[in-house]
Amino acid sequence: MMWGNGMGGGMGWGLLFWLLLIVGLVVLVVVLVKAFTGGPGGGTRQGGTAPPPTGAGPRRSREILEERYARGEISTEEYRERLRTLEEGER
């Protein structure tokens, strides 16, 4: 038999090496994706903007709304509706 001359052990280490390499690459890709997309709890929402910091006043909320409208992230109708909601909350 061929296994008796010690070649079988080398194949096992080679297989282990490739498995560890593949697992390492998968982990690296997952970490990079989470780092660049914000990951879970990273502070980004589906709209792509971070929520205003706690305690941000109506002025900052309006600025964020205007920025999103200027970038084309929201439609004119959505902008007007959210602006009206902000103005009602200020009263």
Side-chain angles (χ1 to χ4, degrees), residues 37-88:
T37 61
T44 57
R45 293 184 287 193
Q46 190 172 358
T49 59
T54 305
R59 171 181 271 167
R60 181 63 186 138
S61 299
R62 186 181 298 242
E63 288 174 7
I64 293 170
L65 181 63
E66 290 171 355
E67 290 169 6
R68 291 189 66 199
Y69 180 63
R71 285 192 300 259
E73 293 179 6
I74 57 176
S75 66
T76 303
E77 295 82 22
E78 188 174 2
Y79 170 78
R80 289 179 181 156
E81 178 182 331
R82 292 181 183 216
L83 183 61
R84 187 172 46 251
T85 303
L86 282 175
E87 289 171 346
E88 289 173 0

Short mmCIF file of all heavy atoms in Angstrom, two decimals, residues 37-88:
data_model
loop_
_atom_site.label_atom_id
_atom_site.label_comp_id
_atom_site.label_asym_id
_atom_site.label_seq_id
_atom_site.Cartn_x
_atom_site.Cartn_y
_atom_site.Cartn_z
N THR A 37 -20.35 48.81 5.21
CA THR A 37 -21.79 49.05 5.12
C THR A 37 -22.39 49.45 6.45
O THR A 37 -23.57 49.69 6.54
CB THR A 37 -22.53 47.81 4.60
OG1 THR A 37 -22.32 46.73 5.51
CG2 THR A 37 -22.08 47.43 3.20
N GLY A 38 -21.60 49.52 7.47
CA GLY A 38 -22.12 49.90 8.77
C GLY A 38 -22.47 48.71 9.62
O GLY A 38 -22.49 48.80 10.82
N GLY A 39 -22.74 47.57 9.02
CA GLY A 39 -23.05 46.37 9.78
C GLY A 39 -24.25 46.54 10.68
O GLY A 39 -24.87 47.59 10.72
N PRO A 40 -24.59 45.51 11.44
CA PRO A 40 -25.72 45.64 12.35
C PRO A 40 -25.39 46.62 13.47
O PRO A 40 -24.36 46.53 14.09
CB PRO A 40 -25.92 44.23 12.90
CG PRO A 40 -24.62 43.52 12.64
CD PRO A 40 -23.99 44.20 11.46
N GLY A 41 -26.28 47.58 13.69
CA GLY A 41 -26.06 48.55 14.75
C GLY A 41 -25.02 49.59 14.39
O GLY A 41 -24.53 50.29 15.25
N GLY A 42 -24.66 49.68 13.12
CA GLY A 42 -23.61 50.60 12.70
C GLY A 42 -24.09 52.03 12.57
O GLY A 42 -23.31 52.90 12.22
N GLY A 43 -25.35 52.29 12.76
CA GLY A 43 -25.85 53.65 12.74
C GLY A 43 -26.38 54.09 11.39
O GLY A 43 -26.73 55.24 11.21
N THR A 44 -26.45 53.21 10.42
CA THR A 44 -27.02 53.61 9.15
C THR A 44 -28.35 52.94 8.96
O THR A 44 -28.59 51.84 9.43
CB THR A 44 -26.09 53.24 7.97
OG1 THR A 44 -25.85 51.84 8.02
CG2 THR A 44 -24.79 54.00 8.06
N ARG A 45 -29.23 53.64 8.25
CA ARG A 45 -30.55 53.08 7.95
C ARG A 45 -30.59 52.78 6.47
O ARG A 45 -29.68 53.09 5.72
CB ARG A 45 -31.63 54.08 8.32
CG ARG A 45 -31.71 54.29 9.82
CD ARG A 45 -32.83 55.20 10.15
NE ARG A 45 -32.46 56.55 9.76
CZ ARG A 45 -33.11 57.62 10.13
NH1 ARG A 45 -34.16 57.52 10.88
NH2 ARG A 45 -32.71 58.81 9.74
N GLN A 46 -31.68 52.23 6.03
CA GLN A 46 -31.82 51.86 4.64
C GLN A 46 -31.68 53.07 3.73
O GLN A 46 -31.18 52.96 2.64
CB GLN A 46 -33.17 51.19 4.42
CG GLN A 46 -33.31 50.57 3.05
CD GLN A 46 -34.57 49.75 2.93
OE1 GLN A 46 -35.33 49.62 3.88
NE2 GLN A 46 -34.81 49.19 1.79
N GLY A 47 -32.08 54.24 4.19
CA GLY A 47 -31.95 55.45 3.39
C GLY A 47 -30.51 55.88 3.19
O GLY A 47 -30.23 56.72 2.36
N GLY A 48 -29.59 55.32 3.95
CA GLY A 48 -28.19 55.62 3.76
C GLY A 48 -27.68 56.78 4.59
O GLY A 48 -26.56 57.20 4.41
N THR A 49 -28.48 57.31 5.47
CA THR A 49 -28.02 58.41 6.31
C THR A 49 -28.10 58.00 7.76
O THR A 49 -28.96 57.22 8.15
CB THR A 49 -28.86 59.68 6.10
OG1 THR A 49 -30.22 59.37 6.42
CG2 THR A 49 -28.77 60.18 4.67
N ALA A 50 -27.21 58.52 8.54
CA ALA A 50 -27.20 58.20 9.97
C ALA A 50 -28.32 58.96 10.66
O ALA A 50 -28.67 60.07 10.25
CB ALA A 50 -25.86 58.57 10.57
N PRO A 51 -28.89 58.41 11.69
CA PRO A 51 -29.93 59.13 12.43
C PRO A 51 -29.32 60.32 13.15
O PRO A 51 -28.13 60.32 13.46
CB PRO A 51 -30.44 58.10 13.42
CG PRO A 51 -29.35 57.11 13.56
CD PRO A 51 -28.62 57.11 12.25
N PRO A 52 -30.11 61.36 13.39
CA PRO A 52 -29.55 62.52 14.09
C PRO A 52 -29.13 62.13 15.49
O PRO A 52 -29.72 61.24 16.10
CB PRO A 52 -30.71 63.52 14.12
CG PRO A 52 -31.93 62.71 13.86
CD PRO A 52 -31.51 61.50 13.09
N PRO A 53 -28.10 62.78 16.01
CA PRO A 53 -27.67 62.47 17.36
C PRO A 53 -28.77 62.77 18.36
O PRO A 53 -29.62 63.62 18.14
CB PRO A 53 -26.47 63.38 17.59
CG PRO A 53 -26.27 64.19 16.37
CD PRO A 53 -27.31 63.81 15.38
N THR A 54 -28.72 62.08 19.49
CA THR A 54 -29.72 62.29 20.53
C THR A 54 -29.68 63.74 20.98
O THR A 54 -28.63 64.30 21.21
CB THR A 54 -29.43 61.37 21.73
OG1 THR A 54 -29.38 60.03 21.24
CG2 THR A 54 -30.49 61.49 22.79
N GLY A 55 -30.84 64.35 21.08
CA GLY A 55 -30.91 65.74 21.51
C GLY A 55 -30.81 66.72 20.36
O GLY A 55 -30.76 67.92 20.58
N ALA A 56 -30.76 66.25 19.11
CA ALA A 56 -30.69 67.16 17.97
C ALA A 56 -32.02 67.91 17.88
O ALA A 56 -33.08 67.32 17.93
CB ALA A 56 -30.43 66.40 16.68
N GLY A 57 -31.94 69.20 17.77
CA GLY A 57 -33.14 70.02 17.75
C GLY A 57 -33.82 70.02 16.40
O GLY A 57 -33.38 69.39 15.46
N PRO A 58 -34.94 70.73 16.33
CA PRO A 58 -35.70 70.82 15.09
C PRO A 58 -34.88 71.41 13.95
O PRO A 58 -35.06 71.04 12.80
CB PRO A 58 -36.87 71.73 15.43
CG PRO A 58 -36.92 71.79 16.92
CD PRO A 58 -35.56 71.44 17.42
N ARG A 59 -33.97 72.32 14.26
CA ARG A 59 -33.15 72.93 13.21
C ARG A 59 -32.31 71.87 12.51
O ARG A 59 -32.25 71.84 11.28
CB ARG A 59 -32.25 74.02 13.81
CG ARG A 59 -31.24 74.54 12.81
CD ARG A 59 -30.36 75.57 13.41
NE ARG A 59 -30.99 76.86 13.24
CZ ARG A 59 -30.64 77.95 13.85
NH1 ARG A 59 -29.67 77.92 14.73
NH2 ARG A 59 -31.24 79.09 13.62
N ARG A 60 -31.67 71.00 13.29
CA ARG A 60 -30.84 69.95 12.69
C ARG A 60 -31.70 68.95 11.92
O ARG A 60 -31.31 68.48 10.85
CB ARG A 60 -30.02 69.24 13.77
CG ARG A 60 -29.12 68.16 13.24
CD ARG A 60 -28.05 68.69 12.31
NE ARG A 60 -27.31 67.59 11.73
CZ ARG A 60 -26.95 67.53 10.47
NH1 ARG A 60 -27.19 68.53 9.66
NH2 ARG A 60 -26.31 66.49 10.01
N SER A 61 -32.87 68.65 12.43
CA SER A 61 -33.77 67.74 11.73
C SER A 61 -34.16 68.31 10.38
O SER A 61 -34.19 67.60 9.38
CB SER A 61 -35.03 67.48 12.56
OG SER A 61 -34.69 66.90 13.78
N ARG A 62 -34.43 69.60 10.35
CA ARG A 62 -34.79 70.25 9.09
C ARG A 62 -33.61 70.24 8.13
O ARG A 62 -33.77 70.02 6.93
CB ARG A 62 -35.26 71.68 9.36
CG ARG A 62 -35.78 72.38 8.12
CD ARG A 62 -36.19 73.79 8.45
NE ARG A 62 -37.27 73.77 9.43
CZ ARG A 62 -38.48 74.25 9.21
NH1 ARG A 62 -38.76 74.81 8.07
NH2 ARG A 62 -39.41 74.21 10.13
N GLU A 63 -32.39 70.46 8.65
CA GLU A 63 -31.20 70.45 7.79
C GLU A 63 -31.00 69.07 7.16
O GLU A 63 -30.69 68.97 5.97
CB GLU A 63 -29.95 70.81 8.62
CG GLU A 63 -29.87 72.26 9.02
CD GLU A 63 -28.70 72.54 9.95
OE1 GLU A 63 -27.87 71.63 10.18
OE2 GLU A 63 -28.62 73.66 10.45
N ILE A 64 -31.19 68.04 7.95
CA ILE A 64 -31.05 66.68 7.43
C ILE A 64 -32.08 66.42 6.35
O ILE A 64 -31.78 65.86 5.29
CB ILE A 64 -31.17 65.65 8.57
CG1 ILE A 64 -29.97 65.78 9.52
CG2 ILE A 64 -31.28 64.23 8.02
CD1 ILE A 64 -30.11 64.98 10.80
N LEU A 65 -33.31 66.85 6.60
CA LEU A 65 -34.37 66.67 5.62
C LEU A 65 -34.03 67.40 4.32
O LEU A 65 -34.17 66.85 3.22
CB LEU A 65 -35.70 67.17 6.20
CG LEU A 65 -36.93 67.03 5.30
CD1 LEU A 65 -37.20 65.56 5.00
CD2 LEU A 65 -38.14 67.68 5.95
N GLU A 66 -33.55 68.63 4.44
CA GLU A 66 -33.17 69.40 3.25
C GLU A 66 -32.02 68.76 2.50
O GLU A 66 -32.00 68.73 1.27
CB GLU A 66 -32.82 70.83 3.67
CG GLU A 66 -34.02 71.64 4.13
CD GLU A 66 -33.65 72.98 4.75
OE1 GLU A 66 -32.44 73.27 4.91
OE2 GLU A 66 -34.58 73.74 5.08
N GLU A 67 -31.06 68.21 3.24
CA GLU A 67 -29.93 67.53 2.59
C GLU A 67 -30.39 66.30 1.82
O GLU A 67 -29.96 66.08 0.69
CB GLU A 67 -28.89 67.12 3.64
CG GLU A 67 -28.15 68.29 4.25
CD GLU A 67 -27.32 67.88 5.46
OE1 GLU A 67 -27.22 66.67 5.78
OE2 GLU A 67 -26.75 68.78 6.09
N ARG A 68 -31.27 65.52 2.43
CA ARG A 68 -31.78 64.32 1.75
C ARG A 68 -32.57 64.70 0.50
O ARG A 68 -32.48 64.02 -0.52
CB ARG A 68 -32.65 63.50 2.70
CG ARG A 68 -31.82 62.86 3.83
CD ARG A 68 -32.61 61.89 4.62
NE ARG A 68 -32.98 60.75 3.76
CZ ARG A 68 -33.95 59.91 4.04
NH1 ARG A 68 -34.68 60.08 5.12
NH2 ARG A 68 -34.22 58.91 3.23
N TYR A 69 -33.34 65.77 0.59
CA TYR A 69 -34.11 66.22 -0.57
C TYR A 69 -33.17 66.71 -1.67
O TYR A 69 -33.36 66.39 -2.85
CB TYR A 69 -35.09 67.32 -0.14
CG TYR A 69 -35.93 67.86 -1.27
CD1 TYR A 69 -36.83 67.03 -1.93
CD2 TYR A 69 -35.85 69.18 -1.67
CE1 TYR A 69 -37.62 67.51 -2.96
CE2 TYR A 69 -36.63 69.68 -2.70
CZ TYR A 69 -37.51 68.84 -3.35
OH TYR A 69 -38.28 69.33 -4.37
N ALA A 70 -32.14 67.45 -1.28
CA ALA A 70 -31.19 67.98 -2.26
C ALA A 70 -30.43 66.85 -2.96
O ALA A 70 -30.11 66.96 -4.15
CB ALA A 70 -30.21 68.92 -1.58
N ARG A 71 -30.15 65.76 -2.24
CA ARG A 71 -29.44 64.63 -2.86
C ARG A 71 -30.37 63.77 -3.70
O ARG A 71 -29.92 62.85 -4.38
CB ARG A 71 -28.79 63.77 -1.77
CG ARG A 71 -27.56 64.39 -1.16
CD ARG A 71 -26.79 63.40 -0.31
NE ARG A 71 -27.58 62.88 0.79
CZ ARG A 71 -27.50 63.30 2.06
NH1 ARG A 71 -26.64 64.24 2.37
NH2 ARG A 71 -28.25 62.78 3.00
N GLY A 72 -31.66 64.02 -3.63
CA GLY A 72 -32.62 63.24 -4.41
C GLY A 72 -33.01 61.93 -3.75
O GLY A 72 -33.56 61.06 -4.40
N GLU A 73 -32.73 61.81 -2.45
CA GLU A 73 -33.08 60.58 -1.74
C GLU A 73 -34.57 60.47 -1.47
O GLU A 73 -35.08 59.36 -1.29
CB GLU A 73 -32.32 60.50 -0.41
CG GLU A 73 -30.83 60.35 -0.57
CD GLU A 73 -30.10 60.30 0.76
OE1 GLU A 73 -30.75 60.27 1.82
OE2 GLU A 73 -28.85 60.31 0.74
N ILE A 74 -35.25 61.60 -1.39
CA ILE A 74 -36.69 61.59 -1.15
C ILE A 74 -37.37 62.46 -2.19
O ILE A 74 -36.78 63.41 -2.72
CB ILE A 74 -37.04 62.07 0.28
CG1 ILE A 74 -36.49 63.48 0.55
CG2 ILE A 74 -36.52 61.11 1.32
CD1 ILE A 74 -36.88 64.06 1.89
N SER A 75 -38.62 62.14 -2.46
CA SER A 75 -39.39 62.89 -3.46
C SER A 75 -39.91 64.20 -2.86
O SER A 75 -39.86 64.42 -1.65
CB SER A 75 -40.57 62.04 -3.94
OG SER A 75 -41.48 61.85 -2.87
N THR A 76 -40.43 65.05 -3.74
CA THR A 76 -40.99 66.32 -3.29
C THR A 76 -42.15 66.09 -2.33
O THR A 76 -42.26 66.78 -1.30
CB THR A 76 -41.45 67.15 -4.50
OG1 THR A 76 -40.33 67.33 -5.37
CG2 THR A 76 -42.00 68.50 -4.08
N GLU A 77 -43.00 65.12 -2.66
CA GLU A 77 -44.15 64.84 -1.79
C GLU A 77 -43.69 64.38 -0.41
O GLU A 77 -44.22 64.81 0.61
CB GLU A 77 -45.05 63.77 -2.43
CG GLU A 77 -45.69 64.20 -3.73
CD GLU A 77 -44.77 64.04 -4.93
OE1 GLU A 77 -43.81 63.24 -4.88
OE2 GLU A 77 -44.98 64.76 -5.92
N GLU A 78 -42.69 63.48 -0.40
CA GLU A 78 -42.20 62.99 0.88
C GLU A 78 -41.53 64.11 1.67
O GLU A 78 -41.70 64.21 2.90
CB GLU A 78 -41.21 61.84 0.66
CG GLU A 78 -40.81 61.14 1.93
CD GLU A 78 -39.94 59.92 1.68
OE1 GLU A 78 -39.60 59.63 0.52
OE2 GLU A 78 -39.59 59.27 2.68
N TYR A 79 -40.81 64.98 0.97
CA TYR A 79 -40.17 66.12 1.63
C TYR A 79 -41.21 67.02 2.29
O TYR A 79 -41.09 67.38 3.46
CB TYR A 79 -39.36 66.93 0.62
CG TYR A 79 -38.87 68.25 1.16
CD1 TYR A 79 -37.77 68.31 2.01
CD2 TYR A 79 -39.51 69.44 0.81
CE1 TYR A 79 -37.32 69.52 2.51
CE2 TYR A 79 -39.07 70.66 1.31
CZ TYR A 79 -37.98 70.69 2.15
OH TYR A 79 -37.54 71.90 2.65
N ARG A 80 -42.27 67.35 1.55
CA ARG A 80 -43.32 68.23 2.10
C ARG A 80 -44.03 67.59 3.28
O ARG A 80 -44.32 68.26 4.28
CB ARG A 80 -44.32 68.58 1.00
CG ARG A 80 -43.75 69.53 -0.03
CD ARG A 80 -44.74 69.84 -1.11
NE ARG A 80 -44.15 70.74 -2.09
CZ ARG A 80 -44.57 70.85 -3.33
NH1 ARG A 80 -45.60 70.13 -3.75
NH2 ARG A 80 -43.98 71.68 -4.16
N GLU A 81 -44.30 66.29 3.17
CA GLU A 81 -44.99 65.59 4.26
C GLU A 81 -44.13 65.58 5.53
O GLU A 81 -44.60 65.87 6.62
CB GLU A 81 -45.30 64.16 3.82
CG GLU A 81 -45.98 63.33 4.89
CD GLU A 81 -46.22 61.90 4.42
OE1 GLU A 81 -46.39 61.67 3.21
OE2 GLU A 81 -46.22 61.02 5.30
N ARG A 82 -42.86 65.28 5.37
CA ARG A 82 -41.97 65.24 6.54
C ARG A 82 -41.72 66.63 7.10
O ARG A 82 -41.61 66.80 8.32
CB ARG A 82 -40.65 64.57 6.17
CG ARG A 82 -40.83 63.09 5.89
CD ARG A 82 -39.54 62.41 5.55
NE ARG A 82 -39.78 61.03 5.21
CZ ARG A 82 -38.96 60.05 5.52
NH1 ARG A 82 -37.85 60.29 6.17
NH2 ARG A 82 -39.25 58.81 5.17
N LEU A 83 -41.67 67.63 6.25
CA LEU A 83 -41.50 69.00 6.71
C LEU A 83 -42.71 69.43 7.53
O LEU A 83 -42.58 70.03 8.59
CB LEU A 83 -41.29 69.95 5.53
CG LEU A 83 -41.02 71.41 5.86
CD1 LEU A 83 -39.75 71.55 6.69
CD2 LEU A 83 -40.91 72.23 4.59
N ARG A 84 -43.90 69.07 7.04
CA ARG A 84 -45.13 69.39 7.76
C ARG A 84 -45.13 68.69 9.13
O ARG A 84 -45.49 69.29 10.14
CB ARG A 84 -46.34 68.97 6.91
CG ARG A 84 -47.67 69.40 7.48
CD ARG A 84 -48.84 69.15 6.52
NE ARG A 84 -48.85 67.84 5.88
CZ ARG A 84 -48.59 67.62 4.59
NH1 ARG A 84 -48.30 68.62 3.79
NH2 ARG A 84 -48.63 66.41 4.08
N THR A 85 -44.69 67.45 9.16
CA THR A 85 -44.61 66.72 10.43
C THR A 85 -43.64 67.39 11.40
O THR A 85 -43.92 67.52 12.59
CB THR A 85 -44.18 65.26 10.18
OG1 THR A 85 -45.10 64.64 9.27
CG2 THR A 85 -44.12 64.47 11.47
N LEU A 86 -42.50 67.85 10.88
CA LEU A 86 -41.53 68.54 11.73
C LEU A 86 -42.11 69.83 12.29
O LEU A 86 -41.93 70.15 13.45
CB LEU A 86 -40.26 68.85 10.94
CG LEU A 86 -39.28 67.70 10.71
CD1 LEU A 86 -38.13 68.15 9.81
CD2 LEU A 86 -38.75 67.19 12.04
N GLU A 87 -42.81 70.56 11.43
CA GLU A 87 -43.38 71.84 11.86
C GLU A 87 -44.47 71.63 12.90
O GLU A 87 -44.60 72.40 13.84
CB GLU A 87 -43.94 72.61 10.65
CG GLU A 87 -42.83 73.13 9.75
CD GLU A 87 -43.35 73.70 8.45
OE1 GLU A 87 -44.53 73.47 8.10
OE2 GLU A 87 -42.56 74.34 7.75
N GLU A 88 -45.24 70.54 12.76
CA GLU A 88 -46.26 70.24 13.77
C GLU A 88 -45.62 69.86 15.09
O GLU A 88 -46.14 70.19 16.15
CB GLU A 88 -47.16 69.10 13.28
CG GLU A 88 -48.07 69.48 12.16
CD GLU A 88 -48.82 68.29 11.58
OE1 GLU A 88 -48.62 67.15 12.07
OE2 GLU A 88 -49.59 68.49 10.62
#
